[in-house]
Amino acid sequence: MDTLVIKGGKRLKGTVEIGGAKNAALPIMAAALLAPGEHRIGNVPHLRDISTMGRLLANLGAGFHLESNTALLDCSKVKNYAAPYELVSTMRASVLVLGPLLARLGKAKVSLPGGCAIGARPINLHLMGFEKMGASITLESGYIFVKAKKLRGAQINFDIPTVTGTENIMMAAALAEGKTVIENAAREPEVVDLADALKSMGARIIGAGESVIEIDGVSRLRPLRHEVIPDRIETGTFMAAAGITGGEVTIKRCNLQHLDSVINKLKDTGMKIRPLKTGVKVTGPKRPASVNAKTMPYPGFPTDMQAQLMAMMCVAEGTSVISESIFENRFMHVAELRRMGADIIIEGGMATVRGVRKLKGAPLMATDLRASASLIVAALAAEGESTIHRIYHLDRGYERIEEKLRKLGADVRRGKE
Ligand code: EPU
């Protein structure tokens, strides 16, 4: 198994380019199932989750090929309607095939995703939505079986704004009979990107990016042509890495409009963030100032940036309180950060971080994707060497991260257990 070995203490300097957003590319790939023909999706990052989705689509009968950063998908012969346990268990986003399969084939079967490291993460809201659209739902040997002769438009009100839930319903509704209205929809940029991709297929959607989305079903869709938006979480992670090392980094191919809450928070830590014509220049302070943060659905501070901000706060001047309100178990990086000398106390969904002057390198265990990112951020600023184990979590969501960090002057190499 690969490890990442980081010698901390180098100020990051230089230019980095951001890849396409994993969490936009995944639903857009699933959306290809909605229409026969050859689909073309640009700016798709080379990540393990993307190849897992590719394998899943191939398993369902689609042709999948990633050429440079363009995904070519041939969905002329989609016949299979079951997403097997082996794939769903390695990637929860596999549930995104439910909506499109149900709309195209009238049935879909997906292994019920178990809990995962960051929380229980049920899909009851996705299923409630399908049911409202006329689908029947049964549980068979650990598989959710969703079936509908004809999907009808419906009024769907989510108790909690769910990102993949909103995406699943939007995809199913694109081919349903009549109008679907999603209330309390997720407003994340990835939802908007999926809506744009669906519109390129001929779907009729208004309101994506707002709390109410209306989808007027059409009888058929054409193959999609779309460029995936830049990854806002990768952008934010590089900002945090620059911030904690007192670095000066130009970030290219990013979209700052998707990062308002993150930028405002990082500015409060003393970072300078200056938009450029083609990206942004970020400069870290000598030592970050402490800030408080609470994760919220978009446009609030993203849960996917909570761990990276916490890494910064470990060496900040003062005490910061970080609350996690989206997932119930997303503090697994805390135990690892403590092993580096961080002073963090957790009470329920709240972490109190008392900044220390320096973290010390240590052997570390990655537990999930964003926790791994936070360990990298911390290790870049720590005194001495850190070895991060189980970095396969990282490879799910960050494209060539060690190469990008090395280009910025970090002392990072991939090792073996
Ligand atoms: N929820 C329910 N029932 C549902 C669906 C969600 O109770 O049917 C709850 C969840 O348990 C959670 C909250 O609603 O407490 C929000 O979860 P959401 O459904 O929005 O999360 P998701 O769609 O499963 C996506 C991203 C995550 C990101 C979250 C929140 C993808 C593929 N995944 O997950 O990304 O953290 O939205 O923004 O888009 C990551 O990239 O590291 C990652 C975990």
Side-chain angles (χ1 to χ4, degrees):
M1 246 191 287
D2 285 3
T3 61
L4 217 56
V5 184
I6 302 181
K7 271 201 198 110
K10 292 259 165 60
R11 285 184 67 210
L12 298 193
K13 249 178 164 283
T15 300
V16 64
E17 283 197 1
I18 300 303
K22 162 181 86 78
N23 289 348
L26 291 171
I28 293 171
M29 286 169 74
L33 292 169
L34 286 165
E38 290 182 7
H39 304 257
R40 178 181 282 267
I41 312 167
N43 203 25
V44 175
H46 284 259
L47 298 170
R48 204 158 56 92
D49 275 7
I50 297 294
S51 38
T52 306
M53 182 58 92
R55 266 177 33 229
L56 174 53
L57 297 178
N59 206 279
L60 298 171
F64 167 71
H65 184 58
L66 189 55
E67 210 176 271
S68 180
N69 285 99
T70 301
L72 302 167
L73 281 153
D74 186 344
C75 292
S76 306
K77 290 188 226 135
V78 175
K79 288 207 176 68
N80 199 348
Y81 60 90
Y85 175 76
E86 297 73 54
L87 293 172
V88 183
S89 61
T90 61
M91 186 184 70
R92 295 183 51 85
S94 308
V95 299
L96 284 164
V97 300
L98 269 178
L101 284 177
L102 181 62
R104 170 123 175 231
L105 303 176
K107 56 190 169 181
K109 208 169 153 182
V110 170
S111 157
L112 187 61
C116 80
I118 62 176
R121 303 181 76 183
I123 56 163
N124 58 312
L125 298 172
H126 306 221
L127 301 181
M128 175 276 286
F130 294 139
E131 222 164 12
K132 284 244 159 103
M133 297 176 80
S136 69
I137 292 157
T138 45
L139 183 67
E140 291 174 8
S141 320
Y143 280 74
I144 290 281
F145 189 21
V146 187
K147 220 163 115 184
K149 273 218 172 71
K150 184 78 209 152
L151 282 177
R152 292 183 308 272
Q155 183 92 13
I156 295 164
N157 193 324
F158 286 132
D159 293 338
I160 308 171
T162 155
V163 176
T164 46
T166 302
E167 292 167 346
N168 242 335
I169 298 302
M170 232 165 43
M171 291 189 278
L175 281 181
E177 200 176 277
K179 182 189 279 194
T180 299
V181 179
I182 310 177
E183 285 179 353
N184 201 19
R187 301 172 58 192
E188 270 67 4
E190 293 76 19
V191 171
V192 179
D193 206 34
L194 170 64
D196 288 342
L198 289 168
K199 285 186 208 164
S200 84
M201 303 172 80
R204 291 164 59 187
I205 303 174
I206 49 174
E210 292 161 37
S211 304
V212 180
I213 304 179
E214 289 185 15
I215 306 115
D216 257 318
V218 295
S219 55
R220 80 166 56 88
L221 294 167
R222 53 180 178 266
L224 73 85
R225 297 276 175 275
H226 187 75
E227 284 285 311
V228 173
I229 52 168
D231 198 308
R232 64 193 166 103
I233 305 301
E234 186 190 10
T235 311
T237 303
F238 275 101
M239 285 180 171
I244 200 170
T245 59
E248 197 177 85
V249 173
T250 299
I251 306 178
K252 292 204 160 157
R253 293 174 64 94
C254 54
N255 186 337
L256 298 188
Q257 278 162 14
H258 299 159
L259 279 151
D260 271 354
S261 61
V262 172
I263 289 175
N264 287 336
K265 199 54 77 184
L266 293 179
K267 277 186 175 166
D268 290 346
T269 71
M271 281 187 77
K272 288 208 178 71
I273 300 183
R274 200 158 50 87
L276 306 171
K277 260 200 191 126
T278 54
V280 64
K281 183 168 179 182
V282 299
T283 312
K286 264 213 168 82
R287 186 177 177 192
S290 58
V291 293
N292 298 334
K294 181 174 184 180
T295 64
M296 296 292 274
Y298 191 84
F301 190 83
T303 173
D304 290 346
M305 273 301 295
Q306 177 257 108
Q308 299 90 313
L309 179 70
M310 192 184 296
M312 265 183 97
M313 291 302 98
C314 290
V315 292
E317 195 158 352
T319 299
S320 73
V321 177
I322 298 182
S323 309
E324 172 58 58
S325 75
I326 308 291
F327 293 113
E328 64 276 20
N329 191 25
R330 215 175 193 184
F331 280 147
M332 276 169 319
H333 41 287
V334 168
E336 301 303 306
L337 291 170
R338 279 195 195 125
R339 304 184 61 251
M340 304 177 84
D343 180 351
I344 308 170
I345 297 168
I346 300 180
E347 277 175 283
M350 212 169 77
T352 305
V353 188
R354 276 209 301 231
V356 297
R357 274 208 168 271
K358 273 277 170 212
L359 293 174
K360 295 211 165 65
L364 302 167
M365 190 70 78
T367 46
D368 72 74
L369 174 55
R370 308 304 171 187
S372 323
S374 83
L375 298 182
I376 291 187
V377 170
L380 287 170
E383 244 163 26
E385 189 173 281
S386 299
T387 303
I388 308 178
H389 298 269
R390 299 206 184 153
I391 57 150
Y392 53 83
H393 291 290
L394 199 72
D395 294 333
R396 288 189 38 214
Y398 289 89
E399 190 177 21
R400 298 181 286 109
I401 189 155
E402 73 273 26
E403 199 182 307
K404 291 184 181 183
L405 286 171
R406 253 201 312 271
K407 221 182 125 213
L408 295 175
D411 188 340
V412 186
R413 64 183 165 82
R414 214 168 253 258
K416 287 270 176 222
E417 295 281 7

